[in-house]
Amino acid sequence: MVICKAKDYKELSRKAANIISAQVILKPDCVLGLATGSSPIGTYEELIQWNKRGDLDFSAVTTVNLDEYKGLSPENDQSYRYFMNTNLFNHVNIDKSRTFVPDGLEPDAEKACKDYDAIVEKVGGIDLQLLGLGHNGHIGFNEPADAFTPCTNCVDLTASTIEANKRFFESEADVPRQAYTMGIGTIMRAKKIVVVVSGQDKAEILKKVVDGPITPQVPASVLQLHPDVTIVADEAAAALL
Ligand code: F6R
């Protein structure tokens, strides 16, 4: 694991965007695995600026997102498809037909998961996967569990994730209770992984992820086994490393 420390969120975002931008420059038709949440927003803002300046071309890029709430439509402003459109896709020259997010409106969980795995396979797997880190060590919506999930699965969100995500909804009752998420196996098959971690409240879990035992109880700890992981953390998040 490479730990790349940044002094603050702005610098973290620039560093992460630099890594992604290098990937797109070296392989213009690459497949980017993308994340939602607050951590990557600054990274997307940087990428948008560089695209507008003409320094970064998304025209041949394909993207696959980590996850989507079950039951939310792409037009719902809390859906992850909506998040990606508003925080990145609407502002860069990407072909939206090559941007993929699990289908939150597919009620048949088995079908939704199979379909999404087929998409990831069809696009040829992920060149670079961007991740955020949950307070309980989750990546995607892969929550602490007894085993690592091999492929896309439908999860019941834990109380801590519902609590963390309720800030985006009118009330806690509005937070969906289930989501479709790419599995740990799929994430681990990405050629390169970049994790963005910001804030003092992530310091403890980041320490466990980097230095603790590899266990599905801390899903991101599995990243220790990946050959090419870069953790970009600001000073507050990296305080215990
Ligand atoms: C988002 C995702 C989640 C978040 C994690 C951290 O697509 O898969 O794993 O990355 O919950 O969220 P933030 O960045 O909001 O702290």
Side-chain angles (χ1 to χ4, degrees):
M1 272 183 179
V2 173
I3 313 282
C4 183
K5 291 186 188 173
K7 73 173 187 303
D8 54 21
Y9 181 70
K10 176 81 182 158
E11 193 180 293
L12 169 161
S13 301
R14 286 177 59 94
K15 284 182 192 288
N18 264 306
I19 299 169
I20 295 168
S21 141
Q23 171 69 61
V24 174
I25 289 166
L26 291 171
K27 187 178 177 195
D29 61 348
C30 65
V31 177
L32 298 178
L34 298 178
T36 62
S38 42
S39 308
I41 289 179
T43 305
Y44 296 149
E45 282 170 1
E46 295 289 337
L47 293 174
I48 290 167
Q49 279 184 36
W50 300 349
N51 177 256
K52 284 200 192 313
R53 277 208 313 256
D55 290 340
L56 192 56
D57 179 14
F58 283 93
S59 62
V61 169
T62 296
T63 65
V64 283
N65 257 80
L66 281 169
D67 40 19
E68 179 60 283
Y69 287 116
K70 183 169 182 239
L72 296 196
S73 75
E75 292 76 34
N76 186 307
D77 63 4
Q78 294 308 327
S79 74
Y80 285 175
R81 160 57 75 181
Y82 188 94
F83 175 102
M84 288 311 303
N85 285 345
T86 51
N87 285 290
L88 183 64
F89 301 151
N90 286 349
H91 310 288
V92 296
N93 67 331
I94 200 161
D95 175 353
K96 277 216 191 119
S97 69
R98 276 208 295 266
T99 66
F100 301 96
V101 179
D103 181 0
L105 284 185
E106 174 55 66
D108 178 345
E110 207 183 311
K111 180 175 183 324
C113 296
K114 267 197 181 146
D115 287 353
Y116 202 60
D117 283 335
I119 288 171
V120 177
E121 203 183 312
K122 193 168 166 223
V123 300
I126 299 163
D127 290 298
L128 184 155
Q129 176 67 55
L130 178 65
L131 297 175
L133 177 64
H135 290 103
N136 58 5
H138 73 224
I139 45 179
F141 269 127
N142 296 285
E143 304 281 16
D146 293 335
F148 292 114
T149 52
C151 47
T152 305
N153 57 101
C154 179
V155 288
D156 295 325
L157 303 190
T158 61
S160 83
T161 299
I162 292 168
E163 174 66 25
N165 289 6
K166 75 174 187 202
R167 65 192 194 274
F168 301 114
F169 292 82
E170 270 186 23
S171 75
E172 190 191 302
D174 293 326
V175 185
R177 267 32 188 182
Q178 287 188 308
Y180 296 133
T181 182
M182 217 183 250
I184 297 282
T186 314
I187 294 170
M188 287 294 280
R189 279 191 293 279
K191 292 189 187 114
K192 183 176 188 65
I193 296 178
V194 178
V195 194
V196 280
V197 195
S198 170
Q200 197 192 350
D201 55 322
K202 297 275 176 80
E204 226 166 276
I205 190 66
L206 185 57
K207 167 100 179 128
K208 283 190 190 160
V209 167
V210 174
D211 293 329
I214 298 167
T215 162
Q217 292 300 330
V218 181
S221 63
V222 76
L223 298 175
Q224 292 177 32
L225 298 175
H226 192 281
D228 188 352
V229 175
T230 303
I231 295 182
V232 191
D234 60 18
E235 269 172 15
L240 302 177
L241 298 182

